[in-house]
Amino acid sequence: MKRRFDAGALNAVWTSDITYLRTGEGWLYLCAVCDGQSRRALGWAIEDHLHTDLVEATVAMAVALRTDLPERVVLHADRGCHTPARRWLGLPAPTAWSA
């Protein structure tokens, strides 16, 4: 990718990241997925843990928002331990993911 997240088309490249939020009751984790071209937030989830379901819920929201997806969307993430890199997410579309 060479850090080029705008591939010139919607739904070609999505980026994902997790932000740690300190609260008075402990830590919360905000995961977001953005489209590389429009930079629009497509999905997000907040949990009190760093498990893969946080990322899966975020990607599921993005897929539900963008119903007209190509066969392949590149999902760029930092590959932290909580990111299901190179793992099929079990979602109906798109059919291929890269992390």
Side-chain angles (χ1 to χ4, degrees):
M1 294 215 34
K2 298 184 181 176
R3 313 284 301 164
R4 283 190 251 143
F5 303 120
D6 181 355
L10 294 175
N11 301 321
V13 178
W14 290 355
T15 59
S16 177
D17 201 7
I18 295 178
T19 299
Y20 297 51
L21 306 167
R22 186 187 326 224
T23 72
E25 297 181 13
W27 289 95
L28 290 177
Y29 307 94
L30 168 65
C31 181
V33 170
C34 296
D35 182 84
Q37 202 247 348
S38 70
R39 301 185 190 262
R40 178 180 180 194
L42 304 176
W44 57 90
I46 298 175
E47 292 288 352
D48 61 357
H49 58 77
L50 279 173
H51 301 150
T52 57
D53 62 327
L54 172 65
V55 178
E56 291 170 350
T58 304
V59 173
M61 180 187 284
V63 168
L65 179 67
R66 293 282 173 98
T67 56
D68 188 25
L69 292 174
E71 274 190 35
R72 181 179 172 97
V73 174
V74 175
L75 176 62
H76 176 78
D78 66 1
R79 298 180 188 226
C81 63
H82 42 270
T83 304
R86 291 189 173 87
R87 181 178 132 168
W88 169 241
L89 294 174
L91 300 172
T95 58
W97 294 94
S98 297

